[in-house]
Amino acid sequence: MQMTPQSPRRPTKPDGARDSRAPERTCVGCRQAASPHELVRLVAGPDGRVALDPKASKGGRGAWVHPTRACVEAMAKRHAAERSLKVDVQRDLDGRSLVASLREALTRKAASLLVVASRTRTLALGTEAVTAALERERVAAVVVARDAGTSAVSLAEEGSGSGGTRVLRHSTKSELGGVFHRGEVALLALLDTRIAAELATTIDRLAALED
Ligand SMILES: [Zn+2]
């Protein structure tokens, strides 16, 4: 790694300050500053209505909000997104429906992470494969369906005992099965730490949208 001896134009940050390369944004819900990675972007759609831009890929003016129920509902109530995006106030802007679309977007993201793990062969699916993976390989995370039986839960918890394997409770057996075009899947293991970390963040964000 190449070291840069000095960067005179960048102000020196005090020790312990978060080093985020992206400039901070202000959440239009709670008005706190945060890194864009912690926020979700909103844009005005072609119809002038506030729309989510979960991948932060759309052009034009953007507004940012914490992906939490509290911030999204505060934003909708005060019409802060419309003001920030400089579009007409939407009397019918509904915090609940924005939370629902956010939840859908995060659910799709979680599923696509599992598909990526499958395609990159860093996934073990089902009890037998997970047991074998826990014995033989470094497992970054075990995902247990929320409606999984006690045997699946204890297998995951025992397996996580040694060496930093996370246990993530997520989704249902039939939804997890649906991701892989199978029947029910109660248990799966992720071998890739980056995918596991990203899934853990996505699951945390889903939890922050609950009532
Ligand atoms: Zn906020």
Side-chain angles (χ1 to χ4, degrees):
M1 187 176 159
Q2 197 180 333
M3 298 295 285
T4 312
Q6 53 185 347
S7 47
R9 281 176 168 273
R10 181 166 295 187
T12 322
K13 289 190 174 178
D15 284 348
R18 195 167 23 152
D19 181 30
S20 172
R21 258 163 237 176
E24 296 217 313
R25 314 279 176 170
T26 303
C27 168
V28 289
C30 67
R31 298 187 184 131
Q32 302 287 311
S35 144
H37 306 293
E38 296 166 43
L39 303 169
V40 67
R41 191 166 183 262
L42 300 146
V43 292
D47 53 359
R49 294 182 67 84
V50 174
L52 290 171
D53 176 22
K55 290 180 181 165
S57 59
K58 298 208 166 91
R61 181 179 283 273
W64 298 79
V65 66
H66 281 115
T68 63
R69 174 173 287 275
C71 286
V72 171
E73 289 191 342
M75 170 199 92
K77 199 174 163 189
R78 293 206 317 264
H79 297 286
E82 296 99 305
R83 263 184 281 135
S84 177
L85 295 170
K86 300 192 189 302
V87 293
D88 291 341
V89 163
Q90 286 168 231
R91 296 253 162 256
D92 60 344
L93 182 67
D94 182 1
R96 281 172 174 278
S97 72
L98 280 173
V99 166
S101 344
L102 202 47
R103 185 181 284 135
E104 276 170 35
L106 289 168
T107 304
R108 276 198 303 275
K109 185 179 180 188
S112 74
L113 287 168
L114 296 177
V115 169
V116 169
S118 173
R119 288 197 184 137
T120 53
R121 300 180 188 278
T122 57
L123 177 91
L125 207 56
T127 308
E128 270 180 48
V130 170
T131 308
L134 284 168
E135 281 166 11
R136 287 201 303 259
E137 315 184 56
R138 281 184 72 88
V139 172
V142 179
V143 179
V144 189
R146 279 209 218 85
D147 56 348
T150 47
S151 60
V153 177
S154 52
L155 175 67
E157 279 168 1
E158 280 164 30
S160 71
S162 59
T165 301
R166 302 180 196 226
V167 177
L168 304 172
R169 297 304 295 268
H170 175 60
S171 197
T172 62
K173 290 188 283 188
S174 61
E175 281 165 359
L176 284 178
V179 173
F180 305 102
H181 308 290
R182 295 193 176 200
E184 297 190 329
V185 171
L187 205 58
L188 59 90
L190 295 171
L191 309 181
D192 183 289
T193 46
R194 202 184 51 79
I195 293 174
E198 219 173 317
L199 182 65
T201 306
T202 307
I203 291 170
D204 282 348
R205 288 190 165 187
L206 277 165
L209 294 176
E210 297 300 320
D211 289 306

